[in-house]
Amino acid sequence: MNALLKQTLAGLRVLLVFTVLLGVVYPLGVWAISRIPGLEGNAEGSIITQDGQAVGSSLIGVDPVAADPAKDPWFHNRPSAGSKDPLGPGDPSSSGASNKGPYNEDLVAAIGERKKLIAAREGVQESQVPADAVTASSSGMDPAISVAYADLQIPRVARNTGLSDEKVRQLVAENTSGAGIGVPGVNVLKVNLAVRDAAGGAH
């Protein structure tokens, strides 16, 4: 009987110790680390706010929709494989790749269609459309585009916002970084917010 009592008390002590360690100390430790300057934004989802309102995440690309397609003032993200529209926008709640190889006829046709649409939208030759403009990433939610794709869109954005090409180019440069794998990329949400502010409000 004494042996059973000792084993029960030992088990309860172990349960109490692990409850405190794993149920209190560990969660509080993880929370405390997430408060370290530089990590806090990632822990909170890297939310971008403007005027106290959440406007999106710097880690999730959602293609903006122009109220008037003929006067589209926005920079656009890469297309999403999950979208019915050839150029997006994608659905952040259900992202993913198409799993189609480079020789898949449907994929080749989709890339061709995207190239024609983008060339027409930007007023350039199809040969000038960069690869990332017509191909979707594995998530379909890339927050950034290549500098080449941003440069392609600068004349249209400048024309439809009333800003100069030089001003828009400056805003693109200010929102270009080599974060991640070190390849320069332009965060589309951030540059669009900067363009909107510079142009004097929403479009």
Side-chain angles (χ1 to χ4, degrees):
M1 189 69 178
N2 287 337
L4 180 60
L5 181 60
K6 288 180 180 180
Q7 289 178 354
T8 301
L9 291 176
L12 289 174
R13 283 195 295 269
V14 170
L15 176 63
L16 179 62
V17 169
F18 277 98
T19 297
V20 172
L21 285 176
L22 301 179
V24 179
V25 177
Y26 177 73
L28 284 177
V30 171
W31 178 84
I33 291 173
S34 73
R35 300 299 98 186
I36 295 175
L39 298 180
E40 185 174 355
N42 292 333
E44 297 298 331
S46 300
I47 301 299
I48 295 177
T49 60
Q50 195 169 61
D51 300 327
Q53 298 293 321
V55 294
S57 168
S58 64
L59 301 178
I60 301 175
V62 179
D63 203 61
V65 178
D68 181 0
K71 297 181 179 179
D72 183 0
W74 305 120
F75 283 92
H76 290 279
N77 292 81
R78 295 176 66 184
S80 170
S83 173
K84 293 181 179 180
D85 186 317
L87 297 181
D91 180 3
S93 67
S94 178
S95 67
S98 67
N99 291 326
K100 295 176 181 177
Y103 300 108
N104 181 279
E105 292 182 1
D106 292 338
L107 178 61
V108 172
I111 289 175
E113 182 180 4
R114 291 168 184 163
K115 188 173 290 188
K116 288 179 181 178
L117 290 171
I118 291 173
R121 185 183 71 198
E122 308 302 337
V124 299
Q125 299 294 319
E126 290 184 27
S127 59
Q128 295 176 262
V129 178
D132 69 308
V134 296
T135 55
S137 66
S138 58
S139 69
M141 293 292 146
D142 276 10
I145 56 176
S146 68
V147 174
Y149 189 22
D151 285 346
L152 185 75
Q153 301 183 67
I154 286 175
R156 171 181 50 78
V157 172
R159 182 174 62 254
N160 291 330
T161 57
L163 298 172
S164 67
D165 281 21
E166 291 74 15
K167 179 60 178 178
V168 177
R169 197 171 300 279
Q170 175 193 339
L171 296 175
V172 167
E174 291 173 356
N175 290 280
T176 301
S177 72
I181 60 175
V183 177
V186 181
N187 188 289
V188 175
L189 175 58
K190 289 182 178 180
V191 76
N192 278 334
L193 290 174
V195 166
R196 186 179 69 176
D197 288 346
H203 291 275

mmCIF file of all heavy atoms in Angstrom, residues 91-126:
data_model
loop_
_atom_site.group_PDB
_atom_site.id
_atom_site.type_symbol
_atom_site.label_atom_id
_atom_site.label_comp_id
_atom_site.label_asym_id
_atom_site.label_seq_id
_atom_site.Cartn_x
_atom_site.Cartn_y
_atom_site.Cartn_z
ATOM 1 N N ASP A 91 -6.838 33.842 -54.019
ATOM 2 C CA ASP A 91 -7.580 33.754 -52.760
ATOM 3 C C ASP A 91 -6.613 33.337 -51.660
ATOM 4 O O ASP A 91 -6.157 32.197 -51.643
ATOM 5 C CB ASP A 91 -8.714 32.730 -52.890
ATOM 6 C CG ASP A 91 -9.511 32.592 -51.608
ATOM 7 O OD1 ASP A 91 -9.236 33.330 -50.636
ATOM 8 O OD2 ASP A 91 -10.406 31.733 -51.561
ATOM 9 N N PRO A 92 -6.254 34.242 -50.722
ATOM 10 C CA PRO A 92 -5.281 33.912 -49.678
ATOM 11 C C PRO A 92 -5.683 32.730 -48.808
ATOM 12 O O PRO A 92 -4.840 32.089 -48.208
ATOM 13 C CB PRO A 92 -5.212 35.203 -48.845
ATOM 14 C CG PRO A 92 -5.705 36.268 -49.756
ATOM 15 C CD PRO A 92 -6.737 35.614 -50.627
ATOM 16 N N SER A 93 -6.986 32.440 -48.729
ATOM 17 C CA SER A 93 -7.439 31.335 -47.875
ATOM 18 C C SER A 93 -7.262 29.985 -48.555
ATOM 19 O O SER A 93 -7.416 28.944 -47.930
ATOM 20 C CB SER A 93 -8.911 31.523 -47.507
ATOM 21 O OG SER A 93 -9.741 31.400 -48.658
ATOM 22 N N SER A 94 -6.950 29.990 -49.842
ATOM 23 C CA SER A 94 -6.804 28.728 -50.574
ATOM 24 C C SER A 94 -5.752 28.890 -51.666
ATOM 25 O O SER A 94 -6.071 29.015 -52.841
ATOM 26 C CB SER A 94 -8.157 28.314 -51.185
ATOM 27 O OG SER A 94 -8.017 27.115 -51.928
ATOM 28 N N SER A 95 -4.494 28.890 -51.257
ATOM 29 C CA SER A 95 -3.423 29.088 -52.221
ATOM 30 C C SER A 95 -2.751 27.758 -52.546
ATOM 31 O O SER A 95 -2.882 26.779 -51.823
ATOM 32 C CB SER A 95 -2.383 30.068 -51.678
ATOM 33 O OG SER A 95 -1.717 29.507 -50.570
ATOM 34 N N GLY A 96 -2.019 27.745 -53.638
ATOM 35 C CA GLY A 96 -1.308 26.534 -54.028
ATOM 36 C C GLY A 96 -0.860 26.591 -55.467
ATOM 37 O O GLY A 96 -1.271 27.485 -56.224
ATOM 38 N N ALA A 97 -0.020 25.652 -55.834
ATOM 39 C CA ALA A 97 0.500 25.597 -57.196
ATOM 40 C C ALA A 97 -0.415 24.752 -58.079
ATOM 41 O O ALA A 97 -1.301 24.043 -57.595
ATOM 42 C CB ALA A 97 1.905 25.011 -57.185
ATOM 43 N N SER A 98 -0.172 24.811 -59.383
ATOM 44 C CA SER A 98 -0.985 24.040 -60.316
ATOM 45 C C SER A 98 -0.459 22.618 -60.491
ATOM 46 O O SER A 98 -1.165 21.741 -60.961
ATOM 47 C CB SER A 98 -0.990 24.730 -61.685
ATOM 48 O OG SER A 98 0.313 24.682 -62.263
ATOM 49 N N ASN A 99 0.818 22.400 -60.111
ATOM 50 C CA ASN A 99 1.489 21.102 -60.296
ATOM 51 C C ASN A 99 1.604 20.713 -61.772
ATOM 52 O O ASN A 99 1.709 19.539 -62.108
ATOM 53 C CB ASN A 99 0.775 19.973 -59.526
ATOM 54 C CG ASN A 99 0.918 20.125 -58.030
ATOM 55 O OD1 ASN A 99 1.942 20.595 -57.546
ATOM 56 N ND2 ASN A 99 -0.102 19.738 -57.288
ATOM 57 N N LYS A 100 1.579 21.711 -62.646
ATOM 58 C CA LYS A 100 1.721 21.453 -64.081
ATOM 59 C C LYS A 100 3.165 21.696 -64.503
ATOM 60 O O LYS A 100 3.771 22.687 -64.103
ATOM 61 C CB LYS A 100 0.779 22.364 -64.882
ATOM 62 C CG LYS A 100 -0.696 22.075 -64.632
ATOM 63 C CD LYS A 100 -1.582 23.068 -65.360
ATOM 64 C CE LYS A 100 -3.062 22.786 -65.080
ATOM 65 N NZ LYS A 100 -3.948 23.786 -65.723
ATOM 66 N N GLY A 101 3.699 20.772 -65.296
ATOM 67 C CA GLY A 101 5.074 20.877 -65.759
ATOM 68 C C GLY A 101 5.229 21.895 -66.866
ATOM 69 O O GLY A 101 4.247 22.365 -67.440
ATOM 70 N N PRO A 102 6.483 22.244 -67.214
ATOM 71 C CA PRO A 102 6.726 23.287 -68.215
ATOM 72 C C PRO A 102 6.236 22.941 -69.616
ATOM 73 O O PRO A 102 6.109 23.828 -70.458
ATOM 74 C CB PRO A 102 8.248 23.447 -68.183
ATOM 75 C CG PRO A 102 8.756 22.155 -67.639
ATOM 76 C CD PRO A 102 7.729 21.699 -66.662
ATOM 77 N N TYR A 103 5.968 21.661 -69.870
ATOM 78 C CA TYR A 103 5.495 21.265 -71.200
ATOM 79 C C TYR A 103 4.000 20.962 -71.218
ATOM 80 O O TYR A 103 3.473 20.486 -72.217
ATOM 81 C CB TYR A 103 6.281 20.055 -71.695
ATOM 82 C CG TYR A 103 7.765 20.325 -71.797
ATOM 83 C CD1 TYR A 103 8.657 19.758 -70.900
ATOM 84 C CD2 TYR A 103 8.275 21.179 -72.771
ATOM 85 C CE1 TYR A 103 10.020 20.020 -70.976
ATOM 86 C CE2 TYR A 103 9.629 21.451 -72.858
ATOM 87 C CZ TYR A 103 10.495 20.870 -71.948
ATOM 88 O OH TYR A 103 11.841 21.145 -72.029
ATOM 89 N N ASN A 104 3.328 21.229 -70.090
ATOM 90 C CA ASN A 104 1.888 21.016 -70.023
ATOM 91 C C ASN A 104 1.183 22.000 -70.950
ATOM 92 O O ASN A 104 1.406 23.213 -70.875
ATOM 93 C CB ASN A 104 1.405 21.201 -68.585
ATOM 94 C CG ASN A 104 -0.084 20.971 -68.432
ATOM 95 O OD1 ASN A 104 -0.882 21.856 -68.716
ATOM 96 N ND2 ASN A 104 -0.455 19.785 -67.988
ATOM 97 N N GLU A 105 0.331 21.498 -71.820
ATOM 98 C CA GLU A 105 -0.317 22.351 -72.832
ATOM 99 C C GLU A 105 -1.180 23.439 -72.201
ATOM 100 O O GLU A 105 -1.199 24.584 -72.676
ATOM 101 C CB GLU A 105 -1.157 21.488 -73.774
ATOM 102 C CG GLU A 105 -0.336 20.568 -74.671
ATOM 103 C CD GLU A 105 -1.210 19.763 -75.625
ATOM 104 O OE1 GLU A 105 -2.444 19.947 -75.602
ATOM 105 O OE2 GLU A 105 -0.643 18.954 -76.394
ATOM 106 N N ASP A 106 -1.897 23.095 -71.125
ATOM 107 C CA ASP A 106 -2.748 24.089 -70.462
ATOM 108 C C ASP A 106 -1.912 25.209 -69.855
ATOM 109 O O ASP A 106 -2.283 26.388 -69.929
ATOM 110 C CB ASP A 106 -3.594 23.422 -69.369
ATOM 111 C CG ASP A 106 -4.645 22.482 -69.941
ATOM 112 O OD1 ASP A 106 -4.998 22.651 -71.125
ATOM 113 O OD2 ASP A 106 -5.108 21.590 -69.202
ATOM 114 N N LEU A 107 -0.782 24.844 -69.242
ATOM 115 C CA LEU A 107 0.087 25.842 -68.632
ATOM 116 C C LEU A 107 0.703 26.745 -69.698
ATOM 117 O O LEU A 107 0.739 27.972 -69.540
ATOM 118 C CB LEU A 107 1.187 25.169 -67.819
ATOM 119 C CG LEU A 107 2.198 26.119 -67.159
ATOM 120 C CD1 LEU A 107 1.503 27.061 -66.183
ATOM 121 C CD2 LEU A 107 3.297 25.323 -66.439
ATOM 122 N N VAL A 108 1.174 26.143 -70.779
ATOM 123 C CA VAL A 108 1.768 26.928 -71.863
ATOM 124 C C VAL A 108 0.742 27.903 -72.437
ATOM 125 O O VAL A 108 1.046 29.078 -72.710
ATOM 126 C CB VAL A 108 2.310 26.000 -72.974
ATOM 127 C CG1 VAL A 108 2.742 26.820 -74.188
ATOM 128 C CG2 VAL A 108 3.478 25.162 -72.446
ATOM 129 N N ALA A 109 -0.507 27.433 -72.593
ATOM 130 C CA ALA A 109 -1.571 28.293 -73.108
ATOM 131 C C ALA A 109 -1.885 29.424 -72.127
ATOM 132 O O ALA A 109 -2.098 30.574 -72.534
ATOM 133 C CB ALA A 109 -2.824 27.470 -73.372
ATOM 134 N N ALA A 110 -1.904 29.103 -70.823
ATOM 135 C CA ALA A 110 -2.200 30.118 -69.811
ATOM 136 C C ALA A 110 -1.112 31.189 -69.793
ATOM 137 O O ALA A 110 -1.410 32.388 -69.690
ATOM 138 C CB ALA A 110 -2.313 29.466 -68.434
ATOM 139 N N ILE A 111 0.141 30.763 -69.902
ATOM 140 C CA ILE A 111 1.254 31.718 -69.922
ATOM 141 C C ILE A 111 1.155 32.618 -71.157
ATOM 142 O O ILE A 111 1.371 33.833 -71.078
ATOM 143 C CB ILE A 111 2.605 30.973 -69.890
ATOM 144 C CG1 ILE A 111 2.809 30.358 -68.501
ATOM 145 C CG2 ILE A 111 3.759 31.908 -70.246
ATOM 146 C CD1 ILE A 111 4.045 29.487 -68.386
ATOM 147 N N GLY A 112 0.811 32.022 -72.294
ATOM 148 C CA GLY A 112 0.646 32.808 -73.511
ATOM 149 C C GLY A 112 -0.456 33.837 -73.383
ATOM 150 O O GLY A 112 -0.312 34.989 -73.829
ATOM 151 N N GLU A 113 -1.584 33.433 -72.768
ATOM 152 C CA GLU A 113 -2.703 34.359 -72.583
ATOM 153 C C GLU A 113 -2.316 35.486 -71.635
ATOM 154 O O GLU A 113 -2.626 36.660 -71.887
ATOM 155 C CB GLU A 113 -3.916 33.607 -72.035
ATOM 156 C CG GLU A 113 -5.152 34.491 -71.868
ATOM 157 C CD GLU A 113 -6.354 33.727 -71.329
ATOM 158 O OE1 GLU A 113 -6.201 32.527 -71.007
ATOM 159 O OE2 GLU A 113 -7.434 34.342 -71.221
ATOM 160 N N ARG A 114 -1.619 35.130 -70.528
ATOM 161 C CA ARG A 114 -1.200 36.161 -69.578
ATOM 162 C C ARG A 114 -0.256 37.159 -70.239
ATOM 163 O O ARG A 114 -0.353 38.362 -70.012
ATOM 164 C CB ARG A 114 -0.494 35.503 -68.385
ATOM 165 C CG ARG A 114 -1.395 34.681 -67.485
ATOM 166 C CD ARG A 114 -0.584 33.839 -66.528
ATOM 167 N NE ARG A 114 -1.401 32.970 -65.703
ATOM 168 C CZ ARG A 114 -0.930 31.922 -65.036
ATOM 169 N NH1 ARG A 114 0.365 31.620 -65.095
ATOM 170 N NH2 ARG A 114 -1.734 31.180 -64.309
ATOM 171 N N LYS A 115 0.640 36.662 -71.077
ATOM 172 C CA LYS A 115 1.611 37.534 -71.744
ATOM 173 C C LYS A 115 0.895 38.538 -72.646
ATOM 174 O O LYS A 115 1.242 39.722 -72.672
ATOM 175 C CB LYS A 115 2.608 36.695 -72.542
ATOM 176 C CG LYS A 115 3.769 37.482 -73.125
ATOM 177 C CD LYS A 115 4.805 36.566 -73.749
ATOM 178 C CE LYS A 115 5.556 35.772 -72.706
ATOM 179 N NZ LYS A 115 6.697 35.027 -73.293
ATOM 180 N N LYS A 116 -0.114 38.082 -73.375
ATOM 181 C CA LYS A 116 -0.867 38.978 -74.256
ATOM 182 C C LYS A 116 -1.616 40.032 -73.452
ATOM 183 O O LYS A 116 -1.626 41.215 -73.813
ATOM 184 C CB LYS A 116 -1.864 38.169 -75.093
ATOM 185 C CG LYS A 116 -1.218 37.324 -76.183
ATOM 186 C CD LYS A 116 -2.275 36.547 -76.953
ATOM 187 C CE LYS A 116 -1.640 35.681 -78.042
ATOM 188 N NZ LYS A 116 -2.643 34.879 -78.779
ATOM 189 N N LEU A 117 -2.250 39.610 -72.349
ATOM 190 C CA LEU A 117 -3.023 40.539 -71.528
ATOM 191 C C LEU A 117 -2.129 41.599 -70.892
ATOM 192 O O LEU A 117 -2.472 42.789 -70.866
ATOM 193 C CB LEU A 117 -3.780 39.769 -70.439
ATOM 194 C CG LEU A 117 -4.931 38.889 -70.916
ATOM 195 C CD1 LEU A 117 -5.448 38.019 -69.770
ATOM 196 C CD2 LEU A 117 -6.063 39.737 -71.479
ATOM 197 N N ILE A 118 -0.981 41.181 -70.393
ATOM 198 C CA ILE A 118 -0.080 42.128 -69.735
ATOM 199 C C ILE A 118 0.539 43.076 -70.758
ATOM 200 O O ILE A 118 0.666 44.282 -70.506
ATOM 201 C CB ILE A 118 1.003 41.377 -68.944
ATOM 202 C CG1 ILE A 118 0.361 40.667 -67.735
ATOM 203 C CG2 ILE A 118 2.106 42.333 -68.477
ATOM 204 C CD1 ILE A 118 1.289 39.756 -66.983
ATOM 205 N N ALA A 119 0.923 42.544 -71.909
ATOM 206 C CA ALA A 119 1.493 43.394 -72.952
ATOM 207 C C ALA A 119 0.496 44.464 -73.382
ATOM 208 O O ALA A 119 0.854 45.636 -73.568
ATOM 209 C CB ALA A 119 1.919 42.543 -74.149
ATOM 210 N N ALA A 120 -0.778 44.075 -73.492
ATOM 211 C CA ALA A 120 -1.819 45.036 -73.874
ATOM 212 C C ALA A 120 -2.046 46.052 -72.758
ATOM 213 O O ALA A 120 -2.217 47.254 -73.020
ATOM 214 C CB ALA A 120 -3.112 44.295 -74.192
ATOM 215 N N ARG A 121 -2.055 45.595 -71.525
ATOM 216 C CA ARG A 121 -2.291 46.493 -70.387
ATOM 217 C C ARG A 121 -1.179 47.532 -70.250
ATOM 218 O O ARG A 121 -1.431 48.696 -69.954
ATOM 219 C CB ARG A 121 -2.393 45.674 -69.091
ATOM 220 C CG ARG A 121 -2.751 46.492 -67.845
ATOM 221 C CD ARG A 121 -2.754 45.624 -66.603
ATOM 222 N NE ARG A 121 -1.404 45.225 -66.230
ATOM 223 C CZ ARG A 121 -1.118 44.217 -65.417
ATOM 224 N NH1 ARG A 121 -2.099 43.469 -64.925
ATOM 225 N NH2 ARG A 121 0.123 43.923 -65.114
ATOM 226 N N GLU A 122 0.062 47.089 -70.496
ATOM 227 C CA GLU A 122 1.201 47.984 -70.311
ATOM 228 C C GLU A 122 1.618 48.692 -71.597
ATOM 229 O O GLU A 122 2.487 49.565 -71.566
ATOM 230 C CB GLU A 122 2.396 47.204 -69.739
ATOM 231 C CG GLU A 122 2.099 46.396 -68.482
ATOM 232 C CD GLU A 122 1.567 47.237 -67.328
ATOM 233 O OE1 GLU A 122 1.807 48.464 -67.306
ATOM 234 O OE2 GLU A 122 0.901 46.674 -66.443
ATOM 235 N N GLY A 123 1.024 48.317 -72.720
ATOM 236 C CA GLY A 123 1.355 48.967 -73.977
ATOM 237 C C GLY A 123 2.749 48.656 -74.476
ATOM 238 O O GLY A 123 3.461 49.536 -74.966
ATOM 239 N N VAL A 124 3.164 47.374 -74.345
ATOM 240 C CA VAL A 124 4.506 46.959 -74.771
ATOM 241 C C VAL A 124 4.398 45.715 -75.652
ATOM 242 O O VAL A 124 3.324 45.131 -75.814
ATOM 243 C CB VAL A 124 5.409 46.655 -73.551
ATOM 244 C CG1 VAL A 124 5.584 47.896 -72.690
ATOM 245 C CG2 VAL A 124 4.821 45.501 -72.712
ATOM 246 N N GLN A 125 5.536 45.293 -76.190
ATOM 247 C CA GLN A 125 5.595 44.053 -76.947
ATOM 248 C C GLN A 125 5.590 42.861 -75.987
ATOM 249 O O GLN A 125 6.059 42.961 -74.850
ATOM 250 C CB GLN A 125 6.864 44.003 -77.803
ATOM 251 C CG GLN A 125 6.963 45.112 -78.828
ATOM 252 C CD GLN A 125 5.874 44.994 -79.890
ATOM 253 O OE1 GLN A 125 5.571 43.892 -80.354
ATOM 254 N NE2 GLN A 125 5.310 46.127 -80.276
ATOM 255 N N GLU A 126 5.060 41.742 -76.427
ATOM 256 C CA GLU A 126 5.016 40.547 -75.576
ATOM 257 C C GLU A 126 6.410 40.119 -75.144
ATOM 258 O O GLU A 126 6.593 39.588 -74.042
ATOM 259 C CB GLU A 126 4.310 39.402 -76.315
ATOM 260 C CG GLU A 126 2.819 39.626 -76.507
ATOM 261 C CD GLU A 126 2.134 38.434 -77.160
ATOM 262 O OE1 GLU A 126 2.634 37.298 -77.015
ATOM 263 O OE2 GLU A 126 1.104 38.631 -77.828
#
